[in-house]
Amino acid sequence: MKNKIDKLITHFLVAIILIGIGFLAYPSISDYWNSFHQSRAIMNYQENVSNMDTSEYKRLLESASVYNEQFLDAGILWKMTDQQKERYHNELSVDETGNMGFLTIPKIKVTLPIYHGTSEDVLQTSIGHLEGTSLPVGGDSTHSVLSGHRGLPSARLFSDLDKLKEGDRWTVNILNETYTYEVDQIRIVEPKDLSNIQIEEGKDYQTLLTCTPYGVNTHRLLVRGHRVANENGEALVLADAIQIEPIYIMPFIAIPVLGILLIVFINKTNQDYKRKQVLKQYKRKD
């Protein structure tokens, strides 16, 4: 009876340890998982773009520029009709996923896919383009807004956006075009304060938007940038230039290996325990 109780206690302690490790590892593993899929989404997007013919490529860019012209007079379209929503989701659409490009912020070391709209499904794993604002293809009298969560245990996203300062830069890649923006204004505003995301005639702005303070989310952090020349000129971004970082692959190799080692360790512990019990029985007989 005592042997069974000792064995149950051993299994119980192992289970507690595994559960504890799971809780501690969840944020990191989940972030790795999302980062892996974000990288894959970007690679798939670039592959789709590389397979487009020149006429379709030009059509998408020209259509997006024409689409943006409406905002100079109409302002932000908060209440879009079904027809307007359908047109919006067709703009810059290269596949059925809704991925319209990707955002890179070197200062906080993130590269994230950008999707149409700001539904919760999008914001849980990626960056959403705020529908009703200019599409992120640059141009005079445009102001696009990109929104992302911060503080999620499952994904990093815009968690470090508050580290950006005036003069820092980020890039947005739409199709094979690169648009660079330099931070010129940082504001913390009430959720209903829209004054800082309006279009200014002749200006090419983009604003990164997230909730603040961290974990409280009563206000909005707005990091605005104005368009500047690309550091590497107008070179196009090719699909093979986007690679999955090795650090995103490592956990998917390491976790199964650790699991196997843990199983081997438990089995060995059980075998040693049984061997000791057999030896004890022999000693008692002697």
Side-chain angles (χ1 to χ4, degrees), residues 142-144 181 184 200 203-207 224-226:
T142 61
H143 194 157
S144 59
Y181 291 86
D184 60 15
E200 294 185 27
K203 301 292 185 180
D204 185 340
Y205 285 141
Q206 186 170 95
T207 291
R224 191 186 73 182
H226 65 277

Side-chain angles (χ1 to χ4, degrees), residues 93-113:
S93 179
V94 301
D95 56 28
E96 299 300 321
T97 67
N99 189 350
M100 64 167 64
F102 59 95
L103 164 74
T104 301
I105 311 177
K107 176 73 174 287
I108 58 176
K109 299 179 181 179
V110 295
T111 298
L112 301 163

Side-chain angles (χ1 to χ4, degrees), residues 5-275:
I5 292 174
D6 290 342
K7 193 172 182 180
L8 285 173
I9 291 173
T10 300
H11 288 163
F12 177 75
L13 291 175
V14 170
I16 292 296
I17 292 171
L18 289 175
I19 292 171
I21 292 173
F23 277 119
L24 291 173
Y26 171 74
S28 297
I29 293 173
S30 182
D31 184 49
Y32 276 127
W33 177 261
N34 280 311
S35 296
F36 176 79
H37 283 278
Q38 288 159 3
S39 296
R40 287 295 300 271
I42 292 171
M43 290 179 67
N44 290 339
Y45 174 81
Q46 287 298 103
E47 184 177 356
N48 287 332
V49 171
S50 66
N51 291 330
M52 294 172 58
D53 59 51
T54 305
S55 60
E56 178 64 8
Y57 185 93
K58 289 182 178 179
R59 185 194 69 78
L60 286 173
L61 283 178
E62 290 173 0
S63 179
S65 295
V66 171
Y67 180 86
N68 282 344
E69 292 176 359
Q70 66 183 307
F71 297 108
L72 184 57
D73 295 324
I76 300 173
L77 299 178
W78 288 116
K79 295 182 179 180
M80 300 174 72
T81 65
D82 290 341
Q83 186 176 2
Q84 288 173 324
K85 288 182 179 180
E86 183 179 1
R87 180 187 176 189
Y88 165 69
H89 284 282
N90 285 331
E91 295 293 338
L92 298 177
S93 179
V94 301
D95 56 28
E96 299 300 321
T97 67
N99 189 350
M100 64 167 64
F102 59 95
L103 164 74
T104 301
I105 311 177
K107 176 73 174 287
I108 58 176
K109 299 179 181 179
V110 295
T111 298
L112 301 163
I114 303 169
Y115 287 85
H116 289 78
T118 54
S119 67
E120 198 57 27
D121 287 343
V122 168
L123 296 182
Q124 282 294 318
T125 59
S126 307
I127 300 305
H129 169 258
L130 185 62
E131 58 185 6
T133 67
S134 305
L135 293 168
V137 293
D140 291 342
S141 304
T142 61
H143 194 157
S144 59
V145 180
L146 304 180
S147 178
H149 279 325
R150 67 193 300 238
L152 293 182
S154 58
R156 188 177 172 192
L157 302 175
F158 276 175
S159 291
D160 295 328
L161 192 64
D162 60 326
K163 294 181 180 179
L164 294 186
K165 307 296 181 185
E166 289 190 20
D168 290 334
R169 294 184 175 187
W170 72 82
T171 61
V172 169
N173 289 86
I174 306 296
L175 300 176
N176 278 337
E177 307 294 325
T178 301
Y179 307 92
T180 302
Y181 291 86
E182 183 177 291
V183 179
D184 60 15
Q185 177 179 282
I186 300 173
R187 295 283 187 270
I188 295 177
V189 303
E190 297 282 346
K192 294 183 179 180
D193 183 354
L194 310 178
S195 60
N196 292 281
I197 58 174
Q198 301 296 329
I199 289 174
E200 294 185 27
E201 190 167 359
K203 301 292 185 180
D204 185 340
Y205 285 141
Q206 186 170 95
T207 291
L208 308 181
L209 179 156
T210 192
C211 295
T212 197
Y214 193 96
V216 180
N217 303 336
T218 55
H219 291 67
R220 300 294 179 264
L221 172 64
L222 306 177
V223 179
R224 191 186 73 182
H226 65 277
R227 178 90 174 275
V228 296
N230 297 331
E231 291 183 4
N232 297 323
E234 299 301 325
L236 300 181
V237 177
L238 302 178
D240 58 3
I242 305 300
Q243 299 179 2
I244 298 176
E245 295 288 342
I247 194 172
Y248 297 150
I249 300 174
M250 287 170 57
F252 299 101
I253 299 173
I255 291 170
V257 171
L258 290 175
I260 292 170
L261 290 175
L262 184 60
I263 291 171
V264 170
F265 172 76
I266 293 172
N267 287 336
K268 188 176 185 305
T269 302
N270 286 335
Q271 290 174 2
D272 290 343
Y273 177 80
K274 290 177 180 178
R275 191 177 298 112

